Amino acid sequence: DTAVSQTPKYLVTQMGNDKSIKCEQNLGHDTMYWYKQDSKKFLKIMFSYNNKELIINETVPNRFSPKSPDKAHLNLHINSLELGDSAVYFCASSQEWGRAGFSYGYTFGSGTRLTVV
Amino acid sequence: RKEVEQDPGPFNVPEGATVAFNCTYSNSASQSFFWYRQDCRKEPKLLMSVYSSGNEDGRFTAQLNRASQYISLLIRDSKLSDSATYLCVVNMPRSNSGYALNFGKGTSLLVTP
């Protein structure tokens, strides 16, 4: 029973297209996140949501729009895809409140490998 | 100064060796610290939390020095299966009063027979 599941696992698409990545967690966690891991393997926070409320919105182009219909789901929609968007996108969840300085650690999904051609 | 800084390696060690990884972080107000492990083309997985008093989990020992903002991980009796990238991770404030885990770039370990 997968704790944090993302779909699709692989996504190959042309520049200019719009695509979505879905994430679901069954851990009962309150906070969910999107991270981007680029070709240099650097993991960077993009967004966090706490029980449907947007908490963190890092310097991400506004072509990226997260949506959280409920606390178990956090989707990522990307408009007008560019070559530089090619990366692995990881969803994660944690049980603590998104504004807490203390963390129990995050559980990650297996990632979505996005290739823009 | 980078928020979480690690030596990228790679560290190539023989089976049975002891290997140590170090990490420094920039935000003195950080409260939570971790080591994660990431295998090739997989997601990061929590290896262990790091506490001020130091903590051990089998062959793995983690240390935290808050005064010098320094974290370490020691792996004793290395196994082939320890080959992976080890990520130093610190919970830090971000935009809108939110907190998130900040990842170092990782240190690559290859254990050879």
Side-chain angles (χ1 to χ4, degrees), chain B:
Chain B
R1 183 179 176 182
K2 291 194 178 113
E3 292 178 319
V4 181
E5 204 150 2
Q6 295 181 246
D7 179 347
F11 283 59
N12 291 348
V13 302
E15 263 185 298
T18 295
V19 61
F21 304 138
N22 304 316
C23 161
T24 56
Y25 61 95
S26 61
N27 191 320
S28 59
S30 296
Q31 297 178 38
S32 299
F33 309 87
F34 307 91
W35 284 99
Y36 272 71
R37 170 193 169 133
Q38 187 172 25
D39 292 281
C40 189
R41 300 179 77 86
K42 298 283 190 184
E43 73 272 23
K45 289 188 176 169
L46 180 61
L47 180 67
M48 57 197 301
S49 300
V50 187
Y51 304 116
S52 296
S53 51
N55 49 300
E56 195 173 300
D57 182 1
R59 298 180 293 108
F60 299 84
T61 301
Q63 299 274 359
L64 167 65
N65 184 322
R66 285 186 185 270
S68 46
Q69 293 173 217
Y70 171 93
I71 305 165
S72 65
L73 177 68
L74 185 77
I75 305 176
R76 289 182 302 279
D77 188 23
S78 300
K79 310 289 184 198
L80 295 177
S81 56
D82 293 335
S83 297
T85 297
Y86 290 82
L87 301 162
C88 179
V89 186
V90 180
N91 201 32
M92 286 187 175
R94 309 304 305 184
S95 57
N96 300 340
S97 309
Y99 274 76
L101 296 189
N102 260 47
F103 286 75
K105 287 195 173 182
T107 300
S108 176
L109 172 66
L110 179 63
V111 181
T112 54

Side-chain angles (χ1 to χ4, degrees), chain A residues 87-99:
Chain A
V88 182
Y89 292 85
F90 286 102
C91 176
S93 72
S94 66
Q95 66 183 85
E96 68 268 13
W97 181 47
R99 292 197 170 94

